[in-house]
Amino acid sequence: MIRSLGYLRVEATDLEAWRSFAVKVLGMVLGRGPDPDALYLRMDDFPARLVIVPGERDCLLVCGYEVSDSASLARIGKTLEDAGVATKQASAEELAERRVAELIRVDDPFGNTLELFTGAALDDRPAVSHYGNRFVTGDGGLGHVVLSADDDAAGLAFYGGLLGFQLRDTMRLPPELFGRPAEDGPLWMRFMGPGVRHHSVAFAPIPAPTGIVHVMLEVDDIDDVGRALDRCQRNKAPLVSTLGRHANDNMISFYLRTPSGFDIEYGTGGLLVDSATWVSRETTAHTVWGHKFLRGPAH
């Protein structure tokens, strides 16, 4: 079975801006890897949770999801192939670059590339932030990613029916937010997860030129969040929202913009769930308090 979001690979036009942003604002740790031109960013004992590669665009390249073992990966691959969804086995070079034992690649209905992997090789060097912040990963993995999606039914069928993600929560979005007439009826934001986090992926028809609406990074306590807010001010990192608590996953967080134009949600206290007893419902409020957005989506 799929356990969690393992890593993201992002193409970026300004690696030096990312290096400064990741270390000085987010409190991530520089890693190392086989590509001398790439930026490897650590949060824990993974060799990299974010890999930023130089390019001519700012865009999402890959969402990597960790699978529990080889047999589970083979079963998922067969399920996809039986459903007529093409998969591709990673080459030896790609396995070495990702530092995993096995990997299959598949595209979701929105054109995003997923890498399903197992057998990650861990880094035995401690990932110690200069600012003392500790990231919450473990069984929950990197965090979550919110993707731009234009076909709700296809997203549910792919992530739920084929990959086995559980629908954890739904949020109704008024069509007027997206310039559509009210009579079009509501649009939906879906929150789905394969493991202990409330969600590892969410999707909605929110425009996102990079393919990512935001990525969530979780830290150990509220002081880590507050210190990150201070670092945003010192480093003039653009804030996207005030501090707030979400209604569905209880995360206390704020949002800031990355050098690539998508957003980071930086928070603490995210809800952990038991898939066997969880009941999927519709959340009717985005936030319990706070989360006043200071700027709109990147264009």
Side-chain angles (χ1 to χ4, degrees):
M1 61 178 294
I2 297 174
R3 300 298 298 271
S4 63
L5 180 64
Y7 57 77
L8 294 181
R9 296 177 65 85
V10 173
E11 181 179 329
T13 56
D14 192 339
L15 254 66
E16 287 311 306
W18 258 103
R19 188 187 309 273
S20 176
F21 173 80
V23 174
K24 294 181 179 181
V25 178
L26 302 180
M28 299 184 78
V29 178
L30 293 177
R32 57 191 179 191
D35 182 353
D37 295 324
L39 182 61
Y40 296 89
L41 299 172
R42 298 182 62 200
M43 299 164 64
D44 56 7
D45 55 359
F46 257 61
R49 289 293 191 175
L50 294 181
V51 180
I52 315 296
V53 300
E56 297 180 355
R57 303 178 302 159
D58 288 287
C59 64
L60 174 66
L61 295 177
V62 167
C63 296
Y65 285 94
E66 187 167 21
V67 178
S68 53
D69 53 43
S70 179
S72 296
L73 185 62
R75 284 194 295 271
I76 295 168
K78 185 176 187 306
T79 297
L80 291 165
E81 292 287 349
D82 288 348
V85 179
T87 65
K88 182 181 178 182
Q89 297 288 331
S91 66
E93 181 180 356
E94 289 168 332
L95 293 176
E97 208 289 327
R98 272 62 164 176
R99 287 169 280 186
V100 300
E102 297 179 64
L103 183 151
I104 60 174
R105 187 175 292 111
V106 62
D107 289 342
D108 77 3
F110 320 125
N112 301 301
T113 298
L114 276 57
E115 292 180 349
L116 312 177
F117 69 91
T118 190
L122 302 181
D123 193 327
D124 60 2
R125 298 173 303 141
V128 181
S129 170
H130 293 301
Y131 304 102
N133 56 279
R134 292 173 296 179
F135 290 100
V136 177
T137 55
D139 291 342
L142 161 63
H144 72 242
V145 62
V146 178
L147 304 173
S148 180
D150 56 6
D151 190 329
D152 182 66
L156 289 171
F158 179 82
Y159 283 97
L162 297 181
L163 297 187
F165 286 31
Q166 185 180 45
L167 177 62
R168 298 281 167 75
D169 189 32
T170 291
M171 193 174 294
R172 187 186 303 255
L173 303 174
E176 297 92 327
L177 279 179
F178 307 97
R180 302 185 188 186
E183 55 267 25
D184 278 5
L187 303 173
W188 303 102
M189 187 168 186
R190 307 292 187 177
F191 300 82
M192 306 187 76
V196 296
R197 283 197 188 277
H198 176 270
H199 58 284
S200 293
V201 67
F203 53 87
I206 300 172
T210 61
I212 310 175
V213 179
H214 76 253
V215 179
M216 187 281 293
L217 307 181
E218 185 175 4
V219 287
D220 195 50
D221 61 40
I222 190 64
D223 288 338
D224 288 337
V225 177
R227 292 185 185 109
L229 268 170
D230 287 347
R231 294 196 299 273
C232 284
Q233 293 179 328
R234 288 200 304 271
N235 292 279
K236 297 181 172 54
L239 287 177
V240 174
S241 83
T242 62
L243 193 68
R245 182 192 283 275
H246 280 307
N248 60 356
D249 68 354
N250 295 341
M251 190 75 71
I252 300 174
S253 61
F254 69 95
Y255 291 76
L256 68 160
R257 189 138 294 163
T258 69
S260 287
F262 62 87
D263 295 340
I264 296 282
E265 179 186 4
Y266 201 95
T268 191
L271 181 66
L272 301 179
V273 307
D274 179 353
S275 297
T277 58
W278 183 259
V279 177
S280 175
R281 295 189 170 112
E282 180 185 336
T283 297
T284 57
H286 173 257
T287 185
V288 177
W289 54 266
H291 281 146
K292 179 182 178 181
F293 281 85
L294 309 173
R295 62 186 75 207
H299 294 289

